[in-house]
Amino acid sequence: MEFEGEHLLPGQIGHFFVLLAFIASILSTIAFFTASRKTDLLEKRSWLKFARLAFITQLIAAVIIFITIFYICANHYFEYMYVYKHASLELEPKYLLACIWEGQEGSFLLWAIWHSILGIFIMLKSKEWEAPVMTVISVAQFFLLMMLLGWYIGDIRLGSSPFTLTRNEIEGPIFSQPNYLSFIKDGIGLNVLLRNYWMVIHPPILFLGFAATIIPFAFAYAGIQTKRYGEWVTPALPWVLFSAAVLGTGIMMGGKWAYESLSFGGYWAWDPVENASLVPWLILVAGLHTMVIFKATGHSLKASYLFAFLSFIFILYSTFLTRTGVLGDTSVHSFTDAGKAINVMILLFVLSFTLPSLILLAVHAKKMPAEIKEESTNSREFWMFIGSLVFFLSAIFIIAKTSVPVYNKIFGTSIAQPENVEFSYNKVIILVAIIIGILSAIGQYFKYKKTTGSFIFKKIALPTVIAAVITVLLAIFYPLTYYKMGAGFLGAAYFALFAAIYSVIANGAYIWTGLNGKLKSAGGSIAHIGFSLMIAGILISSSNKEVISNSRANGINLQISGTDPMTKEKDNPLENLTLIRQVPASMGQYEVTYLKDSFGNEKGRRFYELLFQKKDANKKIIEEFTLTPDVYIMKDNNMSSNPDTKTYLNKDVFTFISYAINNDAIEDTGSFTIHELAEGDTAFYSNGIIILNRVVKNPDNEKYHFKPTDAALMADITLISKDSLRYPASPLIHIDEFGLNQVDDTVYAQNMYVKFAGVTDNRRIKIGIKESDKLIQYVTLKAYVFPYINLVWLGLIIMAMGVITSAVKRAKLSTFYAALALVFAAAGLFYMFLLAN
């Protein structure tokens, strides 16, 4: 049967280049491995020439595959299953790239492309290390490209092709008709949570970090294969620094995406997918420090091997966790189960790198050079090793907890996560932060081999005192307010804050006094400052995070509640504020008005325009801004909420919609009618009467909770409709530090809301009534203030700059390469700016 309207040529081109890339990866693996074993220079060069040709061929093929996928997505060729699943007509062009790496096939392809690009640099710069290092990279390419084949061997499909036709994947009567494409009006489209500019930037950076971790692994293998056990550290170290910078940046970009796109009110929630990417970075940082130790003293070579191997092994293990469906419902953003065959292939990928590398390490460990003399406890290398060990043990702790679903699946157990998952991590990691903060503060003042105690005391005394004074001042004038986990955890938070401040001051002092202000040599200290600033920002913003959408004595409480998808904690309904359209309500120091809503480009997406105003004592507006959080009503009628944030230098105001209804676009022309009533008086409205029963001073009931010393008046009102039904209402007026506040009440059954408008000179109560002929438009939102959250992002940038500074210094990059790196960085920042705007 000939099907109408299909565009089969792009798919045929894509299939051809997938096959070409796969075959080229096999040939390059064989050729590089053979070259690594040859001792005859002519033979070695011949095999290397062929291997390079094959490797470059698979790079070109992979790029063409990527371009082809982009082409079919951009042109909405829904005859391809990949396009149908990930693209849609409504999708903005800037998110087309995200369509590619939303799916398993596209993300594997992105990973393979980064391997190929990094491989080119290895071939250009690694000289005698090229063959064994490229052997490892080519083996990884073999596995990654095999995931894209989509071949059937009997009933088993080897990989999943991005060029599979929709009619071959979905069963249905329409696919037996030649004009089936006329029935497919649109694709499923990109997940709404991924429609954020960070998801165009974050995955490429993260996968570059994933790809880069293979290079230290490959150099470690090369050291064993060539029996040059210690020499591999020198060429590998710049790559370790590069990997740590890129992977760390990619992880925190994911945190920024979560902060801007998810509604759990934060940037990190110990989700299994987050953890799976963090663990390799922690081990990578541990390996970085042991390699520096080895370069300086000859100690820690075996630890360097282990950490180099494990960093990439845990990258592969994270792939297994997030792509095989083993995590189940424990993660909100892992891939679903891709099928048994793919799962087996991923497992083989993991085992093919894990078992040989660890076996080789075990076999050759005794042959590796080692310093007989133990490190002195007053030497720099000793404390650096302790720091590395802390990083490594924290990584093991995190991955052990994350792997609970794996244990349950293998052993048939039913181990459950604790009720407060987030705290179960925090109570351990905060101790890690204390240790690392103190070690990074004092570690660089120690000398290698041995340092006198008097020298250390002299150097760290002043930074210690300054850090202690700053911490005490913060405790007095800006205390941490994280009380819900008890005094013990709060005390640990203060110790961690002291350690972070201590590290910033001590490393800054070391740059000035120990390095005489030479920033080119201060990469490590700069990285420590950035890391510590980030920790300080996390502690302050998390501890002093404040909910300002409090409906205990403000607004309308609809009892909206649920369970947060990230933290698994039950939401407090009193922390959600309901806003009636065009009716201002107090929110902290702001007066917030729900102005209007509008549809987005995507079906089911609606943006809510919220006006925030700050007024002085005379009700004069001193600040004004608008936020537009949005919701997306999915096909199963579940609601996905995307927050919006107002960023200041010292805080963020973070808002998201917790409940919304589909309001129509009809303007409400109704207005308030004011009635002056004494207690017991009545007034009429269109459907009945209103009775002012009494006025209550400082009410303390189910809705309001005022103290006797407050200044609040509540009108206790009963509405009696024509059908004799009674409805209570309790509008309120109160005075606080921000001035006079009116809290309206709504009687939804009567499409009416009631206002306590004031008190007359003769002590009669002014009651405002507004009736509507249609369902009152309202929206319920939650809002936080995150103080000093920009320290988190600033610290990340400084840390990355420090690591890159160290990488440039250790790699001895030429001016040309440094300039090229700056050009790429500037281009990346410009690209991010375009996406954000």
Side-chain angles (χ1 to χ4, degrees), residues 770-833:
K770 181 177 178 181
E771 299 182 70
S772 177
D773 295 329
K774 64 184 185 70
L775 183 65
I776 292 175
Q777 298 182 18
Y778 68 90
V779 66
T780 303
L781 62 85
K782 192 168 186 177
Y784 299 93
V785 171
F786 281 97
Y788 299 99
I789 193 171
N790 286 325
L791 285 176
V792 178
W793 317 123
L794 177 64
L796 168 67
I797 293 169
I798 293 173
M799 181 175 67
M801 289 172 58
V803 176
I804 292 297
T805 300
S806 294
V808 170
K809 182 176 184 295
R810 290 190 177 275
K812 298 181 175 61
L813 292 180
S814 66
T815 305
F816 170 76
Y817 281 108
L820 189 64
L822 289 174
V823 169
F824 274 112
L829 290 172
F830 180 67
Y831 180 49
M832 290 167 63
F833 173 79

Side-chain angles (χ1 to χ4, degrees), residues 133 172 235:
V133 170

Side-chain angles (χ1 to χ4, degrees), residues 298-586:
H299 288 289
S300 300
L301 178 59
K302 293 173 187 176
S304 299
Y305 268 103
L306 180 64
F307 295 150
F309 283 147
L310 288 182
S311 59
F312 185 64
I313 287 171
F314 276 109
I315 289 288
L316 299 180
Y317 181 63
S318 74
T319 302
F320 171 78
L321 284 179
T322 58
R323 294 171 184 271
T324 59
V326 70
L327 292 176
D329 297 328
T330 62
S331 173
V332 298
H333 54 289
S334 62
F335 289 92
T336 55
D337 192 341
K340 187 174 181 180
I342 289 284
N343 292 352
V344 170
M345 291 167 64
I346 293 173
L347 184 59
L348 285 174
F349 191 9
V350 177
L351 295 178
S352 296
F353 278 80
T354 303
L355 296 179
S357 60
L358 296 182
I359 290 171
L360 280 173
L361 178 58
V363 170
H364 288 263
K366 291 183 179 180
K367 303 174 186 177
M368 295 176 183
E371 290 290 320
I372 299 175
K373 186 179 179 181
E374 293 292 329
E375 300 101 320
S376 170
T377 55
N378 59 356
S379 65
R380 179 185 291 192
E381 61 267 27
F382 176 82
W383 294 109
M384 284 178 68
F385 183 79
I386 294 298
S388 298
L389 191 60
V390 170
F391 269 113
F392 175 66
L393 293 177
S394 64
I396 297 303
F397 163 75
I398 293 168
I399 203 64
K401 284 182 63 64
T402 304
S403 299
V404 166
V406 180
Y407 313 148
N408 289 338
K409 199 160 190 174
I410 293 174
F411 301 109
T413 56
S414 55
I415 303 171
Q417 292 282 10
E419 184 176 352
N420 191 332
V421 176
E422 189 174 337
F423 182 65
S424 71
Y425 285 98
N426 289 343
K427 65 184 180 182
V428 174
I429 298 302
I430 198 164
L431 301 178
V432 173
I434 294 170
I435 296 169
I436 294 299
I438 292 174
L439 289 179
S440 64
I442 66 175
Q444 293 191 92
Y445 287 99
F446 283 91
K447 297 177 182 179
Y448 287 111
K449 305 295 185 184
K450 192 173 182 179
T451 314
T452 61
S454 59
F455 177 83
I456 291 297
F457 180 79
K458 180 180 177 182
K459 292 292 184 181
I460 67 171
L462 184 59
T464 305
V465 171
I466 293 173
V469 169
I470 293 174
T471 306
V472 170
L473 290 175
L474 283 174
I476 295 171
F477 296 105
Y478 189 69
L480 301 181
T481 57
Y482 196 78
Y483 301 118
K484 67 179 181 178
M485 292 307 166
F489 188 79
L490 182 62
Y494 272 114
F495 272 114
L497 182 60
F498 163 75
I501 295 169
Y502 188 21
S503 179
V504 171
I505 294 171
N507 279 279
Y510 181 78
I511 294 173
W512 185 256
T513 60
L515 299 174
N516 298 319
K518 296 177 182 177
L519 294 179
K520 290 182 179 179
S521 302
S525 296
I526 294 171
H528 292 163
I529 289 172
F531 182 77
S532 300
L533 278 175
M534 189 168 66
I535 295 299
I538 290 170
L539 288 167
I540 295 172
S541 64
S542 299
S543 296
N544 290 0
K545 179 174 72 172
E546 178 188 2
V547 178
I548 59 173
S549 53
N550 194 324
S551 63
R552 286 182 175 86
N554 186 27
I556 299 166
N557 180 8
L558 289 183
Q559 297 297 315
I560 305 300
S561 64
T563 301
D564 192 288
M566 297 290 287
T567 64
K568 308 300 181 187
E569 293 183 359
K570 287 186 177 180
D571 194 21
N572 184 351
L574 294 176
E575 293 181 350
N576 294 268
L577 180 64
T578 297
L579 300 175
I580 304 289
R581 183 169 175 176
Q582 299 295 339
V583 178
S586 296

Side-chain angles (χ1 to χ4, degrees), residues 75-224:
N75 287 280
H76 305 108
Y77 290 163
F78 297 126
E79 57 265 42
Y80 294 100
M81 187 65 186
Y82 201 80
V83 181
Y84 176 72
K85 286 172 63 177
H86 303 294
S88 59
L89 296 172
E90 67 193 11
L91 191 67
E92 296 179 62
K94 65 182 179 180
Y95 297 135
L96 281 171
L97 286 173
C99 287
I100 299 177
W101 42 73
E102 182 191 29
Q104 298 237 33
E105 300 90 333
S107 57
F108 279 130
L109 176 63
L110 178 63
W111 192 351
I113 289 174
W114 279 130
H115 271 171
S116 301
I117 293 172
L118 293 173
I120 297 296
F121 282 95
I122 293 295
M123 290 190 294
L124 289 173
K125 302 291 289 183
S126 293
K127 299 177 182 177
E128 69 271 17
W129 294 101
E130 177 188 350
V133 170
M134 289 302 299
T135 300
V136 175
I137 295 175
S138 296
V139 172
Q141 292 296 85
F142 163 78
F143 280 102
L144 290 172
L145 293 167
M146 183 169 60
M147 304 291 181
L148 307 181
L149 287 177
W151 289 354
Y152 278 94
I153 301 176
D155 294 331
I156 299 174
R157 183 159 72 175
L158 196 65
S160 177
S161 172
F163 304 106
T164 302
L165 294 175
T166 306
R167 56 181 162 86
N168 293 334
E169 296 294 311
I170 302 177
E171 293 183 2
I174 68 167
F175 296 108
S176 62
Q177 301 180 39
N179 64 336
Y180 78 91
L181 279 175
S182 63
F183 297 98
I184 302 178
K185 304 300 182 183
D186 202 355
I188 296 173
L190 185 68
N191 186 318
V192 65
L193 295 176
L194 305 184
R195 299 180 190 189
N196 179 285
Y197 64 93
W198 282 110
M199 288 312 292
V200 183
I201 306 163
H202 156 60
I205 300 299
L206 186 66
F207 275 98
L208 175 57
F210 285 177
T213 58
I214 199 175
I215 298 180
F217 180 104
F219 271 107
Y221 160 78
I224 291 175

